[in-house]
Amino acid sequence: MASRAKATILDIAREAGVSKSTVSLVLQGSGLIRPETATKVRKAIEDVGYVYNRGAANLRKAHSNVIGMVINDLTNPFFAELAVGMERVFQAAGVVPFIANTAENPVRQEEVLKSLMEQGVAGLIVSPARGTTPGAFRRIEAAGVPIVFTMRRLPESRIPVIAPDNHRGAFIATEHLIRKGHCRLAFFGGSSDLVVYHERLGGFLEACETLGIPASDRLIVEGETGRKGGMACLETALAAAQPPTAALCFNDAVAFGAMLALRKRGLEAGADFAVVGFDDVAEAEHYSPALTSVAVDTAGLGERAAHVMLRMIQSRTTRAEDHIGAVSLVVRESSGPDRNSQVGDAA
Amino acid sequence: MASRAKATILDIAREAGVSKSTVSLVLQGSGLIRPETATKVRKAIEDVGYVYNRGAANLRKAHSNVIGMVINDLTNPFFAELAVGMERVFQAAGVVPFIANTAENPVRQEEVLKSLMEQGVAGLIVSPARGTTPGAFRRIEAAGVPIVFTMRRLPESRIPVIAPDNHRGAFIATEHLIRKGHCRLAFFGGSSDLVVYHERLGGFLEACETLGIPASDRLIVEGETGRKGGMACLETALAAAQPPTAALCFNDAVAFGAMLALRKRGLEAGADFAVVGFDDVAEAEHYSPALTSVAVDTAGLGERAAHVMLRMIQSRTTRAEDHIGAVSLVVRESSGPDRNSQVGDAA
DNA sequence: CGCTATAAATGGAACGTTCCAATAAATCAA
DNA sequence: TTGATTTATTGGAACGTTCCATTTATAGCG
């Protein structure tokens, strides 16, 4: 059944009674070939079960048609959505995105990048793993392969970044909580080795500053960025002498964790303690109580990143502008007013 | 900054004052070269910022080191977990898995497979998109590239499958519901174009048969396999003349949807209507109420699939045995006893 | 009819590796 | 010393494409 050796362009040429050059031309859809000849060749291709060898072609051609997407945590639905957005535009451009997962591991990331480079990718879209060293992309940059960062940026790097407006998102979310009457606020989860953390925390702090929440009434609890981290943060917060009545969480996963911990204590998010998330993953809407969260248009960011990448490839540059995506607050049930303040309002 | 043309093995040879063959040997870690020479070469490699061209190498070598993972829905956390399991074992074997998403679209799947083949993958692990035609993999099989299906199988195909024991999973879940006193049961979601559907539904029906639930007390509601589908199924079911009191759902997403619809009607899963899911995704445990579900050891199945793939590549065969993974029922809050029957029991 | 202009098809030299066969250098036995 | 053996290194021919420069066939025109 399986033909002995893989069929090549020469086998097709023989089969169709033409030269290899003609076959090559047909393969590329050149208009220089007489339609009948093209048909004949295409038939031969079908007959011998030929599969195009892109590796060989790339040896001559300048650029390949694959771009690599390097993602730090595929199990986070957030990144899956991002990937889906990118795929949409790449597909339309005839580019094939290969996704690789680094599982938040810089060593693994190094391997993955190396592999992708060896494969001759035309570009790289990456959400860098936590703990990536500043020099990790130097070689790739030197090789002239365009890179775009998504969602995360590296401390000192001139690689373009496509990310949501983290600062503003945190600001409006915090503002919302304060307007609801909360005056002892917490920021849950994340840690300072992530640039995103500083952006979001910065927005939180600026809102506090602007709207008159003194430093003594702010509680910052670092922690893991998953559910577990959120649970731990809540425990820590409630153990404080003057516990906060509301928290902005680093992301939705942390928020879910905090809500879970609340329920374990017999408390209800929204009624007893306000929780706001960040990212607005699909799940947020369906949670109970539904989670108030900062929406970042994930798929849109993915599309944007893909577009930027395509433009860089086309203009053979390694430079591009950052793109900061608009954010909006989606208010749901988890961010109720502060109980005491509510009473105060009513009085 | 970026070197003009890409450095090749010849540039290194010149730089190090040796021949290209020597460089090639060093690159492959051959023991035939004098350590000092190797060091010299490695330094040159570093100096010129060389990146290995695997495409060129594959032109001569028999096999590449990349295998493709073709997944039908990356946004389903279930598949992300599966991917993670596979990656673990591939990484250890020095094989690089590239993931591609088909978004449940057979046309997209076709393109993705073509691309992967052109890239010269050593093997393919695929969870076929719904509606895949039986002949979709014929060409790939003919080319002698090993394929393994995961989670889903195609109607008439001899390609090995790695999947959970769907029939048994559905059986024990149904048995559980019947033991809880339910005697009007429903099966929610999925449709008959999926082989998995028949397997799960089959288990459900066999349990009903065995444990004395007559056909008149079974309700089968086909539907989409996401939350939306689950909501619709529940509505349909409750509109029946003799509505069921419990449902086994095609998967957890459907179950979540059903629970959501229950809540919208002011009913509570577990207390008012029993819901059991399938797959036991991470979320099931954290839902409220926590979802009873059939656990399938997702990551384990991924690892198994990867192992089978590696063995096929090594022994250059395209044949392998199916592997049916053990399942177990994880009982949580969503599957309470039937109210009436509970009263009966107490009396 | 011969000549040019156009269209269609072709041969051959790359592209960056691997690997075999061959060479060169060093070591050893007698 | 000479030849045999081992150890390191090397040239060159593939591998399957693309694409430039040619060649060959077809048509157009006076």
Side-chain angles (χ1 to χ4, degrees), chain B residues 67 72 84 89 122 160 213 222 245 269 282 305 346:
Chain B
I67 83 105
N72 60 295
V84 168
V89 356
I213 305 291
E222 290 199 14
T245 64

Side-chain angles (χ1 to χ4, degrees), chain B residues 5 110 125 148 171 217 222 237 247 312:
Chain B
E110 198 80 24
I125 296 191
V148 170
F171 187 96
D217 289 341
E222 290 199 14
M312 287 171 86

Side-chain angles (χ1 to χ4, degrees), chain A residues 32 37 46 67 124 135 144 167 174 188 193 222 267 312 321 337:
Chain A
L32 289 179
T37 315
E46 204 58 40
I67 83 105
L124 246 16
H167 187 95
T174 309
F188 281 177
D193 57 344
E222 289 199 14
L267 302 174
M312 288 171 84
E321 303 236 304

Side-chain angles (χ1 to χ4, degrees), chain A residues 173-188 204 208 213-214 216-221 233-234 236-249 258-259 262 267-276 292 333-343:
Chain A
T174 309
E175 190 181 22
H176 164 74
L177 287 172
I178 295 171
R179 290 262 147 80
K180 280 280 185 180
H182 295 277
C183 47
R184 283 198 311 284
L185 304 181
F187 187 92
F188 281 177
F204 171 80
C208 288
I213 304 291
S216 56
D217 288 342
R218 310 170 198 157
L219 179 65
I220 292 153
V221 191
C233 286
L234 188 101
T236 309
L238 293 195
Q242 287 271 337
T245 63
L248 171 60
C249 298
M259 282 165 70
L262 280 171
L267 302 174
E268 171 104 72
D272 303 305
F273 188 100
V275 175
V276 175
T292 295
E333 304 158 12
S334 70
S335 60
D338 179 42
R339 274 187 178 156
N340 307 327
S341 137
Q342 186 177 22
V343 172

Side-chain angles (χ1 to χ4, degrees), chain A residues 287-324:
Chain A
Y287 224 74
S288 143
L291 178 67
T292 295
S293 187
V294 178
V296 302
D297 185 19
T298 321
L301 285 170
E303 290 179 17
R304 179 50 123 250
H307 275 127
V308 170
M309 178 86 275
L310 288 177
R311 212 166 320 133
M312 288 171 84
I313 292 176
Q314 196 147 25
S315 58
R316 351 189 78 73
T317 176
T318 178
R319 282 274 122 89
E321 303 236 304
D322 288 1
H323 181 272
I324 305 303

Side-chain angles (χ1 to χ4, degrees), chain B residues 22-224:
Chain B
T22 305
V23 178
S24 176
L25 258 4
V26 172
L27 248 18
Q28 317 180 50
S30 160
L32 287 180
I33 2 183
R34 202 154 38 119
E36 314 155 37
T37 315
T39 313
K40 196 169 53 179
V41 170
R42 265 188 276 269
K43 175 167 184 326
I45 288 177
E46 204 59 40
D47 287 350
V48 303
Y50 167 76
V51 353
Y52 184 74
N53 184 335
R54 206 168 280 275
N58 284 344
L59 222 41
R60 295 270 345 202
K61 298 226 282 222
H63 261 329
S64 83
N65 74 144
V66 353
I67 83 105
M69 284 172 54
V70 179
I71 282 184
N72 60 295
D73 179 12
L74 211 54
T75 61
N76 186 335
F78 178 75
F79 286 108
E81 277 180 51
L82 189 76
V84 168
M86 292 183 194
E87 283 182 323
R88 240 200 310 270
V89 356
F90 281 136
Q91 184 184 6
V95 168
V96 186
F98 285 152
I99 306 170
N101 186 25
T102 63
E104 207 71 276
N105 175 351
V107 177
R108 178 83 180 118
Q109 176 173 273
E110 198 80 24
E111 294 170 1
V112 157
L113 288 173
K114 180 151 170 275
S115 240
L116 253 4
M117 286 299 288
E118 290 180 359
Q119 226 57 232
V121 294
L124 246 16
I125 296 191
V126 6
S127 170
R130 183 192 290 226
T132 300
T133 62
F137 294 90
R138 194 146 28 195
R139 303 200 43 163
I140 301 178
E141 285 184 277
V145 173
I147 310 174
V148 170
F149 284 155
T150 40
M151 314 318 298
R152 296 177 172 185
R153 71 175 73 232
L154 249 38
E156 39 184 73
S157 145
R158 273 315 310 147
I159 293 172
V161 181
I162 314 296
D165 193 338
N166 289 311
H167 187 95
R168 176 157 172 74
F171 187 96
I172 59 178
T174 310
E175 190 181 23
H176 164 74
L177 287 172
I178 296 172
R179 289 262 147 81
K180 281 279 185 178
H182 295 277
C183 46
R184 283 198 312 283
L185 303 180
F187 188 91
F188 281 178
S191 54
S192 47
D193 57 344
L194 286 171
V195 177
V196 178
Y197 177 76
H198 292 113
E199 295 174 350
R200 294 188 178 172
L201 181 61
F204 171 79
L205 292 175
E206 189 187 320
C208 288
E209 207 67 56
T210 311
L211 300 172
I213 305 291
S216 57
D217 289 341
R218 310 170 198 158
L219 180 65
I220 292 154
V221 191
E222 290 199 14
E224 290 181 32

Side-chain angles (χ1 to χ4, degrees), chain A residues 10-212:
Chain A
L10 277 153
D11 298 311
I12 299 170
R14 198 174 318 118
E15 181 84 5
V18 298
S19 78
K20 61 178 172 39
S21 307
T22 306
V23 178
S24 175
L25 257 6
V26 171
L27 248 18
Q28 318 179 49
S30 160
L32 289 179
I33 306 285
R34 200 154 39 118
E36 315 154 38
T37 315
T39 315
K40 196 169 56 179
V41 169
R42 265 188 276 271
K43 175 167 184 326
I45 288 177
E46 204 58 40
D47 287 350
V48 303
Y50 167 76
V51 354
Y52 183 74
N53 184 336
R54 206 167 282 274
N58 285 343
L59 221 42
R60 295 269 345 201
K61 297 226 281 223
H63 260 329
S64 81
N65 73 144
V66 353
I67 83 105
M69 284 172 53
V70 179
I71 282 184
N72 61 295
D73 180 11
L74 211 54
T75 61
N76 187 335
F78 177 76
F79 286 109
E81 278 180 51
L82 189 75
V84 168
M86 292 183 193
E87 284 183 323
R88 240 201 309 270
V89 355
F90 281 137
Q91 183 183 7
V95 167
V96 186
F98 285 153
I99 306 171
N101 186 26
T102 63
E104 207 71 276
N105 176 350
V107 178
R108 177 85 180 117
Q109 177 173 270
E110 197 80 25
E111 295 171 0
V112 158
L113 288 173
K114 180 151 169 274
S115 241
L116 253 3
M117 285 299 288
E118 290 181 358
Q119 226 57 232
V121 293
L124 246 16
I125 295 191
V126 5
S127 170
R130 183 192 290 225
T132 300
T133 61
F137 294 89
R138 194 145 28 195
R139 303 202 41 166
I140 300 177
E141 286 184 276
V145 172
I147 310 174
V148 169
F149 283 155
T150 40
M151 315 317 299
R152 295 178 173 184
R153 69 175 74 233
L154 249 39
E156 38 183 76
S157 146
R158 273 315 311 148
I159 293 171
V161 181
I162 313 295
D165 192 339
N166 289 311
H167 187 95
R168 175 156 173 75
F171 186 96
I172 60 178
T174 309
E175 190 181 22
H176 164 74
L177 287 172
I178 295 171
R179 290 262 147 80
K180 280 280 185 180
H182 295 277
C183 47
R184 283 198 311 284
L185 304 181
F187 187 92
F188 281 177
S191 54
S192 48
D193 57 344
L194 286 171
V195 176
V196 178
Y197 177 77
H198 292 112
E199 295 174 350
R200 295 188 178 173
L201 180 61
F204 171 80
L205 292 175
E206 189 187 320
C208 288
E209 208 67 55
T210 311
L211 300 172

